[in-house]
């Protein structure tokens, strides 16, 4: 299988580009729609009684819309209900165990190896088309006669929210006649008697929660075991699935529960049986997610990498899965419901059963034990640190994540069963880490509720708190270096080492602590001042992860997802701002449309590669090569021109990518079989020497199950012995690559062999994965495609400082550039423009207001509190009428309260009572009005001036058509984007293409409303 390599480990942006999508291993999310089968294959039901709207199927999926019924493109969990904002793309049950010593699996991923129906003990599965095996959706009895009836949603309800399930719930009679007959849970209810007098016992569904969806499925049919992550013999298990939720305020409003009862119906024991909840989270935008786990809570989670999500804007939620049923783990001395937590990214999805089995056992894909990089100890829990405070092993590589929460293994004898209960929870706070903090404390409450049987009178949780940013200035650090009382010499050495490792500009040598202090104290010129601010910024970002806690002072803390804007730099987050300068050269891939009588004919397939819209890169980063751009000098990679002049053809190595008619691969694998040295109507030329270079290309080839090529009529249209991508999304997968070998007109024996395209031992230079813009576009003889190396773009301060290092301060442009960086970093170090910050200065005021923010659905208030063990939050609708909302103990001098029980247009006051039981004194009072709707607003580029990684930030008041435009100074429109589908709220849209440097006019239009602003692009 092709290998995936990260070219620059220290460069976050490059690493993301390289590992986001792998051309062979990734299973695309936009897979072919699920085949519409008989009605018992039920994929249309949704759990939609609270703020979540989740698809539930009888094929092992929960939170996946395999046929795009909801119109969201496959996303299966919308939050909040009533929108198409998604926190989950897909989820399902994964099972694995040893039968006769060999692994067997059953997975529900983007295809499912389960089928509806029961399974007889030791026998055959029931007919999956049985009507009784559908998903049955029922509500608990609340006193309303409609609770027991079949209720469909009205056209008015569906028009108001098209994402709702058309079936509000089935009738109890339907459930008892169908589901109960095949094992669904039942109980006796006491309902009102005739005429409302007395009660009568009625046998009905045993509904856990306020709504429950029940079904039964099994993995017994070998013909279903075709998923690349599985493909084993069946385990022979029957699964009875209950998915339920509550319509109550607080944490239960944003949670659902899955109970899987797994029964071994085979005649053999299943050893080391592992059950897992597999999730493909998409927190709004899919490519900027991080993941981790809390081992003490048995909680796996995914959260946004920044506070600027494409869908949720500045307040992206966090998604968690808690395996609630715990077993005592004597080794660790505690109850553990989650024995393994894995996280991997799109492009490293398991393609073989052994990889999946390794993942389920807490190993890496190759079966090697995972090592915690912070402790260097083996672990089965990946990324087990706490991102909220930045401690421990924390995920740092934003990507399209998948997570796997696995129950500890056990043996399942024939006829035995095991129950697995998972809670899926959404937390949403004032920012990404506030959302994760809310998820953690709500999970604690949900665990208690589950253990207590979900009592209706359980008190609601108090406010969930997250840390504030708490940076320090260079003067503060310099004071500690000169004998301050907050940091020890050892802590300063730790900070110096961390800062030195993070930067190429700040070289501290063999005594990093001393070098750190010298840099901070040096203010001799603008260059030294900029370096001092950068050293302080890195120390602020690294102190908490490095475990440096000042004595007698607030923690040193900066959230790496913090939005920032430093003039002259392209960084939009702190993580980008502190990115080390790249140590290798990057790659440009550009199509030169020199014959302008025809449009540009091809575009890059966005495979996450470094250039040409994700479709071009070093071959090292694509399929492997003997040429490593991370270690070789740039001169090893010449500028290559693909000249599309058919009058100057050359021969190329042709390789066939084996696949079955459904796109999967035959038993022999992908192969990449050598298929001749064929003529192509273009040439690859070294622009410096004029030498023609060897090239190779790949074509798709359809085979039978054993890898024998099928007849020509069964081959794709691109099977034509030349490189000619089509207009499909993947361009026909006609990969093209250039070799660092002069063309000699005859095939070389080491390349004229199977697998030479991807085995990583040949000197391949560059790779191109393209698609035609339209079916009839043509490559004109005058056109070229050019591969060229360059010093890679970096949004961070380190690269900018490194570039300025060799330039003279006598040049005013140099001093101006340094001053911009110095002033931008200094503002962050002083806590300006980064939201709420802590303070080390005590005041006479025991409680003071830090911020207050009102949105149409919620009010968020934050206070700074000193010397008080607990405070009471009160709300007033009049100056003389106050209601107690709750009592909370300050955390690190901070109190945050989020009030969601608000009415748009109403005016509320908030204050803290510092006395016992809500008595005076009172402090921190503020009044504000809850807006009725969001506003149409256009903030413009972030940052401004903008570079290559800019976004356009704007807000919409509601759904409906809205257009975002960008015009140059001549009035020419260079961008027009329909953005109404994003819905109400604040949005950040990445700037597409590479507009030329200059001043631009931005305009946002919705109906008769419009907003406009200007922005500047620099390079």
């Amino acid at each position: 299988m092709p290998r995936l390599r990260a070219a620059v480990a220290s460069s976050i942006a490059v690493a993301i580009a390289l590992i986001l999508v792998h051309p062979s291993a990734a299973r695309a999310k936009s897979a072919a729609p699920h085949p519409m089968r008989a009605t018992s294959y039920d994929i249309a039901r949704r759990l939609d009684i609270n703020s979540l709207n989740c698809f539930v199927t009888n094929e092992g999926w929960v939170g996946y819309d395999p046929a795009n019924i909801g119109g969201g493109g496959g996303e299966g969990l919308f939050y909040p209900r009533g929108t198409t904002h998604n926190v989950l793309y897909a989820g399902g049950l994964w099972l694995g165990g040893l039968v006769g010593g060999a692994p067997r699996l059953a997975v529900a991923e983007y295809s499912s190896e389960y089928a509806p129906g029961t399974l007889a003990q030791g026998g055959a599965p029931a007919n999956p088309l049985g009507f009784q095996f559908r998903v049955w959706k029922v509500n608990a009895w609340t006193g309303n006669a409609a609770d027991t009836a079949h209720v469909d949603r009205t056209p008015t309800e569906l028009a108001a929210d098209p994402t709702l399930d058309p079936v509000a719930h089935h009738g109890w009679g339907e459930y008892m006649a169908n589901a109960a007959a095949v094992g669904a849970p039942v109980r006796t209810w006491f309902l009102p008697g005739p005429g409302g007098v007395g009660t009568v016992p009625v046998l009905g569904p045993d509904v856990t929660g306020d709504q429950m969806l029940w079904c039964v499925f099994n993995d017994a049919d070998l013909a279903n075991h075709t998923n690349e992550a599985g493909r084993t013999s069946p385990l022979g298990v029957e699964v009875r699935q209950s998915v339920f939720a509550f319509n109550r305020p607080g944490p239960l409003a944003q949670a659902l529960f899955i109970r899987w009862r797994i029964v071994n119906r085979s005649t053999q024991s299943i050893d080391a049986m592992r059950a897992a909840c597999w999730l493909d989270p998409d927190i709004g935008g899919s490519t900027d997610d991080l993941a981790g786990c809390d081992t003490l809570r048995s909680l796996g989670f995914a959260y946004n990498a920044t506070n600027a999500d494409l869908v949720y804007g500045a307040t992206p939620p966090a998604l968690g899965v808690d395996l609630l049923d715990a077993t005592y783990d004597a080794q660790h001395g505690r109850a553990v419901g989650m024995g393994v937590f894995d996280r991997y990214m799109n492009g490293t999805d398991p393609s073989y059963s052994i990889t999946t089995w390794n993942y389920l056992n807490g190993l890496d894909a190759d079966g090697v034990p995972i090592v915690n990089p912070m402790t260097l100890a083996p672990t089965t829990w990946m990324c087990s640190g706490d991102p909220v405070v930045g401690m421990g092993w924390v995920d740092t590589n934003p990507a399209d994540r998948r997570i796997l929460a696995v129950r500890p293994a056990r043996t399942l004898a024939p006829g035995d069963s095991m129950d697995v209960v998972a809670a899926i929870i959404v937390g949403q706070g004032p920012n990404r880490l506030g959302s994760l903090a809310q998820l953690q404390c709500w999970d604690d409450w949900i665990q208690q509720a589950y253990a207590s049987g979900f009592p209706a009178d359980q008190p609601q949780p108090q406010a969930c708190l997250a840390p504030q940013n708490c940076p320090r200035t260079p003067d503060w650090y310099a004071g500690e270096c000169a004998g301050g009382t907050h940091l020890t010499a050892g802590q300063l050495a730790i900070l110096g080492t961390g800062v030195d490792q993070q930067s190429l500009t700040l070289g501290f040598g063999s005594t990093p602590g001393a070098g750190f202090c010298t840099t901070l104290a040096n203010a001799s010129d603008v260059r030294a001042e900029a370096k001092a601010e950068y050293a302080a910024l890195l120390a602020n970002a690294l102190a908490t992860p490095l475990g440096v806690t000042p004595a007698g002072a607030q923690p040193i803390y900066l959230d790496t997802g913090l939005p920032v804007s430093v003039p002259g730099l392209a960084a939009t987050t702190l993580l980008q701002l502190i990115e080390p300068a790249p140590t290798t050269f990057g790659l440009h891939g550009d199509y030169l449309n020199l014959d302008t009588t025809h449009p540009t004919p091809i575009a890059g397939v966005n495979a996450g590669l470094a250039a040409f819209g994700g479709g071009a890169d070093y071959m090292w980063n694509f399929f492997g090569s003997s040429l490593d751009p991370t270690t070789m000098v740039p001169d090893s990679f010449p500028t290559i021109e693909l000249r599309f002049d058919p009058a100057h053809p050359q021969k190329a190595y042709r390789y066939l990518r084996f696949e079955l008619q459904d796109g999967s691969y035959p038993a022999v694998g992908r192969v990449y079989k050598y298929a001749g040295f064929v003529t192509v109507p273009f040439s690859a030329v070294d622009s410096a020497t004029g030498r023609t270079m060897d090239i190779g290309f790949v074509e798709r080839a359809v085979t039978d199950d054993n890898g024998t090529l099928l007849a020509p009529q069964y081959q794709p249209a691109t099977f034509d012995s030349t490189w000619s991508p089509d207009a499909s999304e993947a361009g026909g997968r006609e990969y093209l690559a250039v070799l660092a070998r002069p063309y000699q007109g005859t095939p070389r024996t080491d390349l004229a062999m199977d697998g030479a395209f991807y085995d990583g031992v040949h000197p391949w230079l560059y790779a191109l994965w393209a698609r035609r813009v339209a079916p009839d576009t043509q490559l004109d003889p005058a056109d070229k495609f050019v591969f060229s190396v360059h010093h890679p773009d970096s949004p961070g301060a380190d690269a900018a400082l490194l570039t300025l290092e060799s330039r003279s301060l006598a040049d005013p442009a140099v001093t101006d550039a340094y001053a911009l960086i110095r002033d931008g970093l200094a503002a962050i170090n002083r806590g300006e423009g980064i939201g709420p910050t802590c303070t080390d200065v005590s005041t006479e005021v025991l409680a003071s207001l830090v911020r207050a923010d009102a949105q149409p659905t919620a009010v968020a208030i934050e206070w700074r509190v000193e010397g008080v063990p607990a405070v009471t939050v009160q709300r007033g609708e009049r100056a003389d009428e106050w209601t107690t909302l709750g009592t909370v103990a300050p955390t690190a001098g901070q109190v945050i309260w989020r009030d969601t029980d608000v009415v748009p247009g109403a005016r509320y006051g908030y204050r803290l009572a510092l006395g016992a039981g809500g008595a005076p004194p009172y402090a921190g009072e503020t009044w504000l009005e809850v807006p009725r709707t969001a506003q149409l607003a256009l903030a413009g580029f972030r940052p401004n001036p903008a570079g290559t990684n800019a976004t356009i930030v704007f807000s919409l008041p509601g759904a409906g058509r809205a257009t975002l435009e960008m015009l140059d100074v001549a009035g020419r429109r260079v961008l027009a984007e329909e953005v109404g589908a994003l819905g109400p709220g604040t949005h950040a849209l990445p700037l597409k293409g590479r507009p030329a440097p200059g001043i631009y006019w931005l305009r946002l239009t919705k109906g008769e409303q419009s907003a406009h602003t200007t922005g500047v692009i620099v390079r």
Side-chain angles (χ1 to χ4, degrees):
M1 188 179 71
R3 293 172 296 168
L4 187 69
R5 305 191 184 194
V8 188
S10 62
S11 173
I12 297 168
V14 175
I16 295 170
L18 298 183
I19 61 183
L20 182 60
V21 177
H22 188 280
S24 176
R27 280 184 291 291
K29 290 188 178 186
S30 56
H34 187 279
M36 298 306 295
R37 298 184 280 191
T39 56
S40 65
Y41 285 82
D42 201 348
I43 57 176
R45 297 286 67 80
R46 274 148 274 185
L47 185 82
D48 52 4
I49 199 170
N50 56 20
S51 65
L52 306 181
N53 185 342
C54 181
F55 277 81
V56 179
T57 78
N58 59 357
E59 296 179 73
W61 288 307
V62 174
Y64 182 41
D65 179 7
N68 301 344
I69 293 173
E75 298 89 352
L77 176 54
F78 301 129
Y79 168 80
R81 192 186 72 184
T83 72
T84 55
H85 297 173
N86 57 279
V87 292
L88 180 66
Y89 183 86
L93 175 66
W94 285 22
L95 298 174
L98 299 175
V99 178
R104 294 190 185 183
L105 303 167
V107 301
E109 192 209 35
Y110 307 110
S111 65
S112 175
E113 296 186 329
Y114 302 103
T118 56
L119 180 60
Q121 188 65 42
N127 183 348
L129 303 184
F131 187 76
Q132 67 272 34
F133 300 135
R134 302 184 69 185
V135 178
W136 297 100
K137 178 179 182 180
V138 287
N139 281 10
W141 170 258
T142 65
N144 187 337
D147 293 336
T148 65
H150 182 115
V151 177
D152 289 326
R153 293 246 161 71
T154 66
T156 301
E157 290 174 317
L158 294 176
D161 182 4
T163 69
L164 286 175
D165 188 340
V167 176
H169 54 80
H170 293 114
W172 283 16
E174 295 173 277
Y175 179 95
M176 294 303 296
N178 293 283
V182 291
V186 299
R187 58 162 285 193
T188 298
W189 297 80
F190 290 90
L191 305 186
V197 178
T199 60
V200 294
V202 175
L203 192 63
D206 186 3
V207 181
T208 306
D210 297 319
Q211 185 177 87
M212 181 180 76
L213 282 72
W214 187 91
C215 64
V216 59
F217 51 86
N218 67 82
D219 85 316
D221 190 347
L222 179 61
N224 288 330
H225 284 253
T226 59
N227 187 287
E228 290 184 6
R231 286 188 162 201
T232 68
S233 297
L235 284 160
V237 295
E238 174 188 287
V239 181
R240 301 181 182 189
Q241 174 181 281
S242 300
V243 183
F244 59 93
F246 295 83
N247 185 18
R248 299 182 191 173
L252 287 178
Q254 296 185 192
L256 63 87
F257 302 85
I258 312 167
R259 177 182 290 112
W260 288 297
R261 172 157 291 179
I262 302 154
V263 187
N264 181 3
R265 296 295 191 190
S266 74
T267 59
Q268 296 177 278
S269 286
I270 305 176
D271 298 320
M273 178 67 169
R274 293 186 177 273
C277 182
W278 170 85
L279 300 177
D280 176 358
D282 282 354
I283 311 298
S286 64
T287 60
D288 61 348
D289 296 339
L290 300 169
C293 71
D294 186 325
T295 60
L296 297 179
R297 291 184 169 97
S298 287
L299 175 70
F301 50 79
Y303 59 105
N304 222 59
T306 73
N307 293 321
D309 183 73
L310 185 62
V311 174
Y312 289 100
T315 58
L319 176 73
V321 53
D322 187 329
L323 298 186
L324 291 168
D325 278 336
T327 52
Y328 188 76
D329 182 348
Q331 178 183 354
H332 297 90
R334 54 184 167 78
V336 178
M338 180 176 65
V340 169
F341 176 80
D342 279 315
R343 69 95 171 88
Y344 59 91
M345 65 192 68
N346 185 2
T348 61
D349 307 76
S351 295
Y352 303 96
S353 60
I354 189 60
T355 304
T356 304
W357 180 244
N358 289 336
Y359 282 169
L360 289 172
N361 282 274
L363 306 172
D364 72 8
D366 297 323
V368 176
I370 295 168
V371 175
N372 185 324
M374 309 300 292
T375 65
L376 302 182
T379 182
T380 58
W381 293 299
M382 298 185 71
C383 299
S384 55
D386 187 352
V388 175
V389 296
M391 296 294 289
W393 182 11
V394 175
D395 194 1
T396 58
N397 185 25
D400 185 1
R401 289 288 187 211
R402 291 92 160 96
I403 63 177
L404 197 64
V406 189
R407 282 291 303 276
R410 57 161 293 182
T411 295
L412 209 61
D416 280 357
S417 66
M418 59 185 287
D419 282 1
V420 177
V421 179
I424 294 180
I425 311 162
V426 177
Q428 187 168 29
N431 52 48
R432 69 184 191 104
L433 293 183
S435 296
L436 185 54
Q438 185 186 78
L439 174 67
Q440 291 169 333
C441 78
W442 280 16
D443 180 59
D444 292 338
W445 188 93
I446 283 173
Q447 288 184 11
Q448 183 179 358
Y450 172 76
S452 305
F454 300 106
D457 58 350
Q458 182 178 350
Q460 291 297 315
Q462 299 301 320
C464 303
L465 305 179
Q468 293 174 312
N469 287 301
C470 199
R472 304 296 201 276
T473 65
D475 289 343
W476 186 91
Y477 285 109
E480 294 303 307
C481 291
T485 60
H486 299 305
L487 296 177
T488 66
Q491 289 176 314
L492 289 169
I494 292 172
L495 283 177
T497 300
V499 170
D500 189 43
Q501 292 175 345
Q502 186 71 14
S503 169
L504 293 182
T505 303
L506 304 174
F508 296 155
S510 59
T511 55
F516 176 59
C517 288
T518 299
T519 299
L520 292 162
N522 186 3
S524 57
D525 53 39
V526 69
R527 176 178 282 145
E529 290 169 347
K531 288 184 175 181
E533 294 291 351
Y534 189 52
L537 181 77
L538 291 178
N540 289 331
L542 298 173
T544 298
L546 291 173
V548 174
T549 303
Q554 294 287 346
I556 304 169
Y557 180 77
L558 273 181
D559 172 17
T560 55
L562 180 73
V564 297
S565 179
V566 176
L569 301 181
T572 59
T573 67
L574 181 67
L575 189 64
Q576 293 178 340
L577 186 60
I578 65 172
E579 179 181 303
T583 57
T584 62
F585 277 60
L587 180 74
H588 278 313
D590 300 290
Y591 189 93
L592 305 183
N593 188 35
L594 301 177
D595 184 349
T596 57
T597 60
H598 297 117
T600 300
I602 61 173
V605 172
N606 187 3
L609 302 178
F612 197 46
D617 208 331
Y618 295 107
M619 186 65 163
W620 169 272
N621 298 323
F622 190 50
F623 270 56
S625 170
S626 63
L627 304 180
D628 182 355
T630 68
T631 60
M632 302 179 68
V633 297
D635 290 347
S636 302
F637 295 90
T639 297
I640 298 293
E641 297 179 357
L642 299 178
R643 299 177 180 176
F644 299 110
D645 184 357
H648 297 88
Q650 72 173 87
K651 289 184 178 291
Y653 299 92
R654 180 189 184 217
Y655 303 94
L656 302 182
R657 179 184 187 269
F658 281 10
E659 61 182 58
L660 303 178
Q661 289 183 327
D662 63 0
S664 61
Y665 50 78
V668 295
R670 290 291 184 206
V671 175
Y672 292 91
K673 183 179 181 61
Y674 176 67
F677 198 54
V678 299
T679 300
V680 292
F682 56 90
S683 57
V685 179
D686 183 328
S687 62
T689 65
R691 293 185 303 178
T692 302
M693 309 299 286
D694 269 337
I695 54 178
F697 68 94
V698 168
E699 289 189 314
R700 294 165 54 229
V702 180
T703 73
D704 63 17
D705 291 343
N706 297 318
T708 301
L709 285 173
L710 298 183
Q713 62 265 33
Y714 299 107
Q715 299 298 333
T718 53
F719 190 81
D720 55 5
S721 295
T722 190
W723 180 78
S724 181
D726 62 22
S728 66
E729 183 178 351
R733 292 189 178 271
E734 298 238 329
Y735 315 134
L736 175 67
V738 181
L739 280 144
R741 285 180 173 174
Y743 176 64
Q744 62 183 22
T746 57
R748 303 173 190 267
T749 56
D750 61 337
L751 289 165
M753 57 188 299
D754 296 350
F757 189 80
Y758 81 105
D759 59 16
V761 300
H762 296 90
W764 296 99
L765 284 168
Y766 310 121
L768 173 64
W769 186 0
R771 60 177 177 82
R772 289 190 186 272
V773 175
D776 58 348
T777 57
Q778 56 184 297
L779 300 161
D780 291 317
D783 292 353
K784 301 176 182 179
F785 187 92
V786 181
F787 297 98
S788 60
V789 297
H790 66 102
H791 197 284
D793 297 328
S794 174
D798 200 42
L801 292 172
L802 193 63
T803 300
L804 292 169
E805 184 74 17
S806 61
R807 299 177 63 183
S808 172
L809 290 180
D811 183 348
V814 174
T815 57
D816 288 346
Y818 269 124
L820 287 175
I821 295 172
R822 176 200 61 194
D823 295 344
L825 301 184
I828 298 171
N829 290 331
R830 291 193 300 265
E832 297 174 3
I834 62 173
T837 61
C838 67
T839 175
D840 291 326
V841 181
S842 297
T843 67
E844 295 181 359
V845 180
L846 292 176
S848 58
L849 181 71
V850 175
R851 69 179 178 97
D853 178 58
Q855 299 294 330
T857 58
V859 171
I861 313 288
E862 183 177 336
W863 293 272
R864 177 72 188 168
V865 178
E866 297 286 347
V868 180
V871 295
T872 299
V873 182
Q874 295 186 331
R875 186 180 80 179
E877 297 186 16
R878 299 186 320 187
D880 59 349
E881 183 177 302
W882 293 84
T883 301
T884 294
L885 299 181
T887 300
V888 61
T891 298
Q894 175 191 33
V895 170
I896 297 176
W897 192 272
R898 184 174 174 84
D899 185 9
T900 57
D901 186 20
V902 296
V903 177
R907 184 172 182 267
Y908 299 103
Y910 295 85
R911 72 185 184 187
L912 294 181
L914 308 180
Y922 303 111
E925 182 175 328
T926 185
W927 289 81
L928 42 90
E929 182 173 330
V930 179
R932 295 186 181 277
T933 60
Q935 301 297 311
L936 186 81
L938 178 59
F941 291 143
R942 287 296 183 270
N944 192 15
T948 55
N949 296 320
T951 57
I952 304 175
V953 178
F954 59 96
S955 63
L956 299 174
R961 183 177 178 83
T963 303
L964 178 65
E965 299 172 280
M966 177 174 157
L967 296 89
D968 64 16
V969 291
R972 294 170 296 199
R973 189 164 62 179
V974 297
L975 178 147
E977 190 83 13
E978 171 57 39
V979 296
L982 297 176
T986 301
H987 308 285
L989 188 70
L991 183 61
K992 296 181 178 179
R994 294 178 59 88
I999 299 174
Y1000 290 86
W1001 188 58
L1002 301 173
R1003 178 171 59 198
L1004 177 65
T1005 306
K1006 180 172 174 56
E1008 297 182 357
Q1009 293 182 284
S1010 66
H1012 58 83
T1013 188
T1014 58
V1016 178
I1017 292 179
V1018 297
R1019 287 286 186 265

